């Protein structure tokens, strides 16, 4: 980065400004004003609040109330979490989710049925509203067609990709031949 001409020029400009500011009249004026302000606010409680090195927010009453409130919310959420995890084993929602998402094929079938239902709902909704043309029909039909195609496969997509010639060709392009050949790095 420092071999850049632009950065080198900016660095020289900054060094020039810094060197010239060190003995300038502007710096003397600002120091004089700063010393005057310090003398005026010496012993002031109001200025002490803004100049203090203490962590004002952590020592304030509002921050303590905020911490108590957040801790209460966290304890309430942990309590609800314990109740839900204790009773979830035999629940209807847990059983449905474990059946619908048990493996890759089930997940694909679940999403396919969802996209078919979503596409049909969009078509019916547009017909009820009186819209018989538009991009929503095209998107709906594409969703339905791809979902039906994925339902017809009934296989794991990982197996299909692993047996695909094109996928293997692209994958082999990036494999490193460690038994023969030179390492290019």
């Amino acid at each position: 980065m420092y071999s850049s001409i632009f950065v080198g020029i900016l660095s020289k400009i900054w060094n020039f400004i810094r060197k010239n500011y060190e003995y300038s009249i502007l710096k003397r004026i600002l120091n004089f004003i700063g010393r005057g302000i310090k003398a005026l606010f010496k012993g002031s409680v109001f200025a002490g609040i803004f100049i203090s090195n203490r962590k004002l927010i952590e020592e304030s009453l509002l921050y303590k109330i905020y911490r108590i409130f957040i801790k209460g919310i966290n304890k309430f959420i942990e309590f609800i979490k314990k109740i839900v995890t204790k009773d979830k084993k035999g629940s209807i929602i847990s059983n449905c989710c474990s059946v619908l998402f048990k493996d890759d094929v089930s997940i694909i079938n679940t999403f396919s049925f969802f996209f078919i239902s979503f596409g049909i709902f969009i078509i019916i909704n547009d017909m009820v509203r009186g819209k018989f043309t538009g991009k929503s029909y095209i998107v709906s039909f594409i969703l339905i067609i791809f979902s039906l195609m994925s339902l017809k496969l009934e296989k794991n997509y990982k197996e299909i990709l692993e047996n695909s010639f094109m996928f293997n060709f692209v994958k082999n392009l990036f494999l490193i031949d460690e038994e023969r050949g030179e390492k290019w790095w």
Side-chain angles (χ1 to χ4, degrees), residues 8 12 14 64 96-97 101 112 124 131 154 163 174 185:
K12 288 178 184 178
W14 174 253
K64 289 179 182 178
C96 290
C97 288
F101 300 107
S112 297
I124 292 171
K131 295 183 179 180
E154 295 181 2
N163 295 330
F174 296 102
W185 63 94

Side-chain angles (χ1 to χ4, degrees), residues 9-171:
I9 291 171
L10 289 178
S11 176
K12 288 178 184 178
I13 291 171
W14 174 253
N15 287 333
F16 176 76
I17 292 171
R18 186 173 48 99
K19 190 185 300 181
N20 289 328
Y21 177 73
E22 189 67 31
Y23 302 105
S24 70
I25 296 173
L26 178 65
K27 183 177 179 183
R28 291 179 187 167
I29 293 171
L30 291 177
N31 284 342
F32 177 74
I33 294 171
R35 284 191 303 260
I37 291 175
K38 282 183 183 178
L40 288 175
F41 284 120
K42 189 174 184 180
S44 169
V45 177
F46 181 75
I49 291 173
F50 295 106
I51 299 172
S52 174
N53 289 334
R54 296 181 302 164
K55 296 179 180 176
L56 181 65
I57 295 175
E58 291 182 2
E59 295 173 0
S60 70
L61 178 65
L62 184 63
Y63 180 73
K64 289 179 182 178
I65 293 171
Y66 171 76
R67 276 189 15 206
I68 292 170
F69 180 70
I70 295 298
K71 282 182 182 179
I73 290 174
N74 284 335
K75 286 181 182 179
F76 179 71
I77 290 173
E78 288 295 322
F79 175 72
I80 297 292
K81 183 179 174 184
K82 285 179 184 177
I83 291 173
V84 169
T85 54
K86 181 178 70 171
D87 294 333
K88 81 173 188 180
K89 293 290 184 188
S91 71
I92 296 171
I93 295 173
S94 175
N95 292 338
C96 290
C97 288
S98 64
V99 169
L100 291 175
F101 300 107
K102 67 180 174 185
D103 59 357
D104 293 341
V105 177
S106 299
I107 292 171
I108 291 169
N109 289 341
T110 302
F111 280 110
S112 297
F113 281 121
F114 170 75
F115 286 130
I116 288 172
S117 304
F118 185 65
I120 291 172
F121 174 75
I122 290 174
I123 291 171
I124 292 171
N125 187 26
D126 285 347
M127 285 183 183
V128 169
R129 291 173 53 200
K131 295 183 179 180
F132 295 105
T133 60
K135 294 179 183 176
S136 62
Y137 278 114
I138 296 170
V139 171
S140 299
F141 283 125
I142 289 173
L143 278 175
I144 292 171
I145 290 170
F146 280 123
S147 298
L148 288 174
M149 286 173 38
S150 67
L151 284 175
K152 286 285 187 183
L153 291 176
E154 295 181 2
K155 283 187 180 179
N156 191 350
Y157 285 102
K158 184 177 180 183
E159 294 174 12
I160 294 170
L161 282 176
E162 288 175 349
N163 295 330
S164 167
F165 174 75
M166 192 63 165
F167 178 76
N168 286 327
F169 176 75
V170 172
K171 185 173 109 179

